Amino acid sequence: MKKIFNSIILYAGLFIAFILVISCLQLYENANRLFGSKSSDSNYWLTFSKKLTPDNIGRKELLGFNENDVAKLKKWSEIKTVYPFSANEFKASANGGDFIPFYTDLYFEGLDLKAIDVPLTDEEFQVKGDVIPIIISREYLNLYNYGFALNQGLPQISEDFAKKIEININIVVNKQNKTYKGRMVGLSDRIHSVLIPKKFLDSLNLAEKPQLANQPKIYNRVLVQVKDSGDEGLISKMKENNYESNQESLRSAKIKSKLFLVLKAIAVLGIFIFALCLYIIVSFIKIQFLEKQEEVSIKNSLGYSPKKMVSDISRRFSINLMTVLALSLILIAAGQYFLAKSSVSNGLLSIYINPWLWTAIIIIPILVYFFVKELIYRWLLRSWKI
């Protein structure tokens, strides 16, 4: 009875250890899917601008990024790519006509289409006739619907409907007024700006200020693709260079780093429990041999190989270990399925656990088999002088 109780405690401990370690591995992958990872495939986007100080206020040459700044940023090991923003050098305004009676001054920015999170081709995102395709931040539309429209008695508009509306864009270049039709072609969650085709914007800038062609380029801000926005090295370099970025993105990265720290702590605890269980298993088998010392000695004298006896015990234990591992993985797979289906995952998680985790059912029992067999056999030879 005592032996059965000890076995139950032993395998229950192993079950908890496997649950802790494997859960941490799966949660690590889930966290990477939700927050991005430090791997070369991950994509974090940050918008860098320089901090306003009494020395650089109103001085574009100091407040903006020149080609030298951009070249230095590209050399940072934490950064994958840099995309400078082009800003309008001309006056622009918009009005909604009779349907949405509003008027506002506008600013435009241009950016490489590869950096914009709206699935458009170069053909789709270019000026055709007098129609300018526009991409705005999704936050701007929300601001209009839930702030401006309600307070001003204007109609609220959905995303689909907004793409069907044309507004009047008034541009002043070389003291000449030009009127275009602006049509929204997409909403960006990554970039808080009003984006129009970069080539079109640059051409209007040169038309307004031809001298820009012979001057060093100055960008008000830059969009950077980084490996990990929570990287301490990146944050340290940003502080050194007085660069600022989206605090929400940095906050998410800090949450991710704290989450990973907790997962590592839990994984270490699981490994400790697993090592403790292995120690108990070895002691357990040793006690079995001690209790059956006479039986083992008789079998040895009859020709039974001590190595084979140890091997049989190790094999039996490895099979039990395999069963415990399978139960652990099935439980975690079920948990992953329900987590992926829940609203928390927001459709970003896989309903399956990492396929490599299933290989643990084979690898761990085989490793433990050889480990236990060699350890016990050496102990047997040394203790009993067989």
Side-chain angles (χ1 to χ4, degrees), residues 333-361:
Q336 176 69 17
Y337 177 81
F338 288 110
L339 182 64
K341 289 289 184 183
S342 69
S343 58
V344 176
S345 71
N346 200 24
L348 296 174
L349 298 181
S350 168
I351 60 173
Y352 305 106
I353 63 173
N354 190 318
W356 286 104
L357 292 178
W358 292 103
T359 61
I361 293 179

Side-chain angles (χ1 to χ4, degrees), residues 141-308:
L141 184 62
N142 291 336
L143 192 63
Y144 168 81
N145 278 331
Y146 302 107
F148 191 72
L150 289 176
N151 290 337
Q152 300 297 320
L154 296 172
Q156 291 179 297
I157 53 178
S158 66
E159 291 184 9
D160 290 336
F161 187 63
K163 293 178 182 178
K164 298 175 182 175
I165 299 173
E166 287 187 350
I167 59 173
N168 298 316
I169 302 292
N170 308 301
I171 290 174
V172 180
V173 176
N174 274 338
K175 299 180 181 177
Q176 293 183 347
N177 293 326
K178 295 184 178 180
T179 301
Y180 293 87
K181 296 291 182 184
R183 179 179 295 168
M184 193 186 77
V185 294
L187 295 165
S188 173
D189 293 309
R190 179 183 302 161
I191 303 159
H192 299 293
S193 184
V194 180
L195 301 172
I196 62 174
K198 188 173 182 300
K199 285 183 180 177
F200 177 70
L201 178 65
D202 290 340
S203 66
L204 290 181
N205 281 341
L206 284 176
E208 173 68 13
K209 296 182 177 178
Q211 66 273 23
L212 291 175
N214 302 316
Q215 293 177 355
K217 292 184 178 178
I218 302 292
Y219 308 104
N220 291 348
R221 52 187 192 154
V222 293
L223 181 71
V224 295
Q225 186 182 19
V226 300
K227 298 174 183 174
D228 182 359
S229 57
D231 192 312
E232 292 298 331
L234 174 68
I235 295 172
S236 174
K237 287 180 180 176
M238 287 174 63
K239 287 180 180 176
E240 287 174 11
N241 290 277
N242 263 354
Y243 293 164
E244 291 182 316
S245 185
N246 186 304
Q247 292 301 310
E248 190 61 34
S249 297
L250 295 178
R251 197 174 296 117
S252 299
K254 288 176 182 175
I255 292 172
K256 188 192 83 171
S257 63
K258 295 284 187 301
L259 176 63
F260 284 174
L261 186 64
V262 172
L263 290 177
K264 286 175 185 173
I266 296 173
V268 168
L269 179 63
I271 292 170
F272 174 74
I273 295 175
F274 177 66
L276 190 63
C277 289
L278 271 183
Y279 174 77
I280 295 172
I281 287 164
V282 171
S283 301
F284 190 70
I285 296 173
K286 283 180 179 178
I287 291 171
Q288 281 188 322
F289 272 98
L290 287 172
E291 289 175 347
K292 298 179 180 179
Q293 183 171 5
E294 188 176 347
E295 181 185 338
V296 172
S297 298
I298 293 171
K299 284 185 176 179
N300 183 41
S301 62
L302 291 174
Y304 279 91
S305 165
K307 196 166 190 176
K308 186 175 184 309

Side-chain angles (χ1 to χ4, degrees), residues 79-106:
I79 289 179
K80 297 167 72 175
T81 322
V82 181
Y83 296 97
F85 284 91
S86 293
N88 61 303
E89 300 282 350
F90 49 86
K91 289 188 177 180
S93 61
N95 65 76
D98 295 333
F99 180 68
I100 308 177
F102 78 94
Y103 171 88
T104 181
D105 288 328
L106 267 184

